[in-house]
């Protein structure tokens, strides 16, 4: 069974690539904080650099949404990892602000490229939500370990950026398990045969909702370090320990989501989870001590990957070619990019409690359309090999919202294919056929 080891190797490569690409947003608080402390910047300036990193990541996703298979997953992944290593490494090696910004932007574009390749590959797997869950589990573990390690590596802006560059170098060897350019070129015809982008209304609503969803949470995440040190009165080591515990809770949440699988569906975790996250955001923003700050951060990070895995799985199910997965992921990166600046502006104008109330209200508003998309657009049509027994996804019948408002019925069965016409007998028999209809004469 040589295909199974190859499939597992490809999954491991996609998970590793997902981890490297998503690590920059997870380390955003310490990156922004170290930039402010190491380069003598004010919070708004450091937040702008963090936003530039994530904006470059989002632009890479939008650029590569329909080009990953044409370029080749292996080549695109290696280009992204190379950009990460060069960009973050050069930014860590210099203290000149323009060079730091240029390196961070190049590294962010590389992170977005790696994420786009991983999202495109995950969308083509039989169970994209399980693969997304494994990716979030991996990146949460890596980020938690770094939050425990980075405070002990000295000050300055270099350690978190070097960690991102080293992550790219560590992931490079596993890219050999991804499809090469030759296979990708053979897939171009299949990509064209897939037709126009399906489920446009559902995908557009999901992308817009996830943009606001990511903006609200990363606005708080970008200033969480300052809330812990300034408002809650904690040391950097204590804040790092809280973040590590929070990401550990995220590991537990992702594990629980993977164990439950599709039993709860996607609508309940997305809707109820977003509402609970809004409460956690408000609790963290109003924290005045260790107990309230740690409670808000830990509960928030336990819920965040559960809801995000459902959203990424929903985006992947809208198009098996992975186009919606990349576009929705890029919209999320765009919201994440605007998060630090939004958090800095709101915290300076309304204070941390006012910022928390504003972000919680935004999350409650965006929960409704995201839940509606999860209820009415449940995925791609059934393809051979996608039927699984109860307890595994995807199911045999998947509902699909089409572009017309009246067609809300589920699509059942495999996609309709053309049937080759069969030759029929002539209308009037010829002498030859008439002769063959009688038994041969002796």
């Amino acid at each position: 069974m040589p295909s199974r080891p190859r499939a597992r190797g490809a999954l491991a490569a996609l998970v590793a690539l997902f981890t490297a690409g998503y690590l920059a947003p997870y380390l955003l608080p310490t990156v922004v904080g170290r930039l402010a402390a190491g380069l003598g910047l004010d919070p708004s300036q450091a937040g702008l650099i963090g936003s530039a990193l994530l904006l470059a990541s989002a632009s890479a996703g939008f650029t590569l949404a329909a080009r990953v298979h044409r370029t080749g997953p292996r080549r695109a992944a290696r280009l992204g990892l190379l950009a990460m290593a060069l960009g973050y490494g050069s930014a860590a090696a210099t203290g000149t602000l323009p060079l730091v910004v240029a390196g961070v932007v190049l590294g962010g574009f590389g992170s977005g490229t790696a994420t786009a390749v991983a999202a495109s590959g995950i969308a083509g797997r039989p169970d994209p939500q399980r693969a997304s869950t494994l990716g979030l589990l991996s990146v949460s573990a890596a980020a938690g370990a770094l939050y425990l390690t980075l405070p002990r590596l000295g000050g300055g802006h270099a350690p978190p950026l070097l960690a991102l560059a080293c992550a790219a170098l560590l992931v490079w060897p596993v890219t050999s398990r991804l499809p090469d350019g030759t296979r990708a070129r053979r897939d171009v015809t299949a990509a064209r045969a897939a037709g126009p982008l399906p489920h446009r209304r559902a995908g557009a609503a999901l992308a817009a909702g996830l943009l606001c969803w990511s903006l609200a949470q990363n606005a708080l995440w970008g200033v969480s370090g300052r809330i812990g040190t300034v408002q809650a009165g904690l040391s950097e080591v204590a804040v790092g320990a809280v973040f590590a515990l929070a990401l550990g809770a995220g590991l537990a949440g992702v594990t629980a989501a993977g164990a439950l699988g599709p039993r709860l569906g996607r609508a309940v975790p997305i809707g109820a989870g977003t509402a609970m996250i809004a409460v956690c955001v408000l609790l963290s923003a109003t924290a005045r001590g260790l107990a309230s700050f740690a409670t808000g951060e830990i509960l928030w990070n336990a819920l965040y990957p559960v809801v995000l895995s459902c959203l990424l799985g929903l985006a992947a199910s809208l198009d098996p070619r992975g186009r919606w997965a990349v576009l929705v992921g890029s919209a999320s990166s765009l919201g994440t990019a605007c998060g630090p600046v939004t958090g800095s502006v709101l915290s300076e104008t309304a204070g941390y409690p006012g910022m928390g109330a504003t972000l919680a209200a935004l999350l409650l508003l965006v929960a409704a359309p995201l839940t509606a998309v999860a209820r009415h657009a449940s995925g791609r049509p059934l393809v051979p090999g996608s039927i699984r027994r109860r307890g595994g996804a995807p199911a045999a019948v998947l509902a699909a919202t089409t572009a017309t408002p009246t067609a809300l019925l589920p699509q059942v069965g495999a996609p309709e294919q053309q049937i080759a016409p069969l030759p029929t007998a002539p209308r009037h028999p010829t002498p030859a056929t008439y002769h063959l209809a009688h038994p041969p004469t002796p």
Side-chain angles (χ1 to χ4, degrees):
M1 301 291 291
S3 60
R4 287 189 176 181
R6 283 199 298 267
R8 292 175 181 174
L11 177 61
L14 291 173
V15 170
L17 200 61
F18 185 95
T19 302
Y22 256 82
L23 194 58
Y26 269 69
L27 294 181
L28 187 64
T30 188
V31 169
V32 172
R34 291 297 187 98
L35 287 173
L39 300 178
L41 305 176
D42 58 41
S44 298
Q45 292 173 332
L48 281 174
I49 298 178
S51 295
L53 184 158
L54 298 173
L55 187 61
S57 178
S59 64
F62 285 120
T63 303
L64 297 173
R67 297 179 175 87
V68 172
H69 291 279
R70 299 177 184 179
T71 306
R74 185 186 302 174
R75 181 184 300 176
R78 288 179 173 177
L79 288 175
L81 294 176
L82 180 62
M84 287 181 62
L86 292 178
Y88 294 133
S90 62
T94 182
T96 305
L97 184 59
L99 296 178
V100 171
V101 173
V104 165
V105 170
L106 177 61
F109 192 86
S111 295
T113 303
T115 304
V117 176
S120 179
I122 287 173
R125 299 194 62 83
D127 191 352
Q129 185 167 339
R130 177 177 175 271
S132 299
T133 300
L134 291 175
L136 290 172
L137 191 67
S138 176
V139 70
S140 297
L146 288 174
Y147 272 116
L148 290 175
T149 306
L150 290 176
R152 293 170 173 79
L153 297 180
H157 69 287
L161 296 175
L162 284 177
L164 294 173
C166 290
L169 296 177
L170 290 175
V171 172
W172 181 281
V174 303
T175 56
S176 60
R177 301 178 181 180
L178 297 174
D180 57 7
T182 304
R183 179 178 175 182
R185 282 190 293 270
R186 290 197 302 264
D187 291 340
V188 170
T189 303
R192 291 175 179 174
L197 197 63
H199 311 298
R200 294 190 177 184
R201 291 188 178 182
L206 180 61
L210 191 54
L211 188 152
C212 297
W213 189 86
S214 299
L215 183 147
Q217 299 191 69
N218 286 279
L220 178 64
W221 185 242
V223 298
S224 289
R226 298 203 299 272
I227 292 176
T229 55
V230 176
Q231 182 172 278
L234 306 177
S235 64
E236 183 183 358
V237 175
V239 171
V242 170
F243 287 161
L245 289 175
L247 293 173
L251 292 176
V254 172
T255 304
L260 290 176
R263 297 173 186 174
L264 293 178
R266 294 191 179 109
V268 173
I270 290 174
T274 300
M276 295 175 66
I277 287 174
V279 176
C280 295
V281 167
L282 186 60
L283 179 61
S284 296
T286 57
R288 295 289 179 178
L290 175 61
S292 56
F293 180 74
T295 301
E297 293 289 327
I298 290 173
L299 290 179
W300 174 27
N301 283 273
L303 294 169
Y304 173 85
V306 177
V307 181
L308 182 59
S309 65
C310 292
L311 291 169
L312 294 178
L314 177 60
S317 69
L318 293 177
D319 179 23
R321 299 303 305 175
R323 290 169 290 181
W324 273 126
V326 177
L327 289 173
V328 169
S330 300
S332 176
S333 298
L334 184 60
T336 304
C338 300
V341 176
T342 304
S344 298
V345 171
L346 287 177
S347 61
E348 290 179 0
T349 56
Y352 295 126
M355 177 197 67
T358 303
L359 298 178
L362 179 59
L363 285 172
L364 292 177
L365 288 175
V366 81
L370 291 177
T371 306
V373 173
R375 290 186 60 186
H376 296 294
S378 58
R380 56 178 180 250
L382 181 67
V383 294
S386 65
I387 301 177
R388 297 190 178 187
R389 296 185 180 272
R390 187 175 181 179
V397 179
L398 298 175
T401 303
T402 61
T404 57
T406 57
L408 296 178
L409 298 178
Q411 297 178 356
V412 182
E416 185 177 347
Q417 300 180 1
Q418 295 182 353
I419 300 176
L422 297 177
T424 58
R427 184 180 300 272
H428 299 289
T430 62
T433 57
Y434 181 78
H435 176 75
L436 291 176
H438 290 78
T441 57

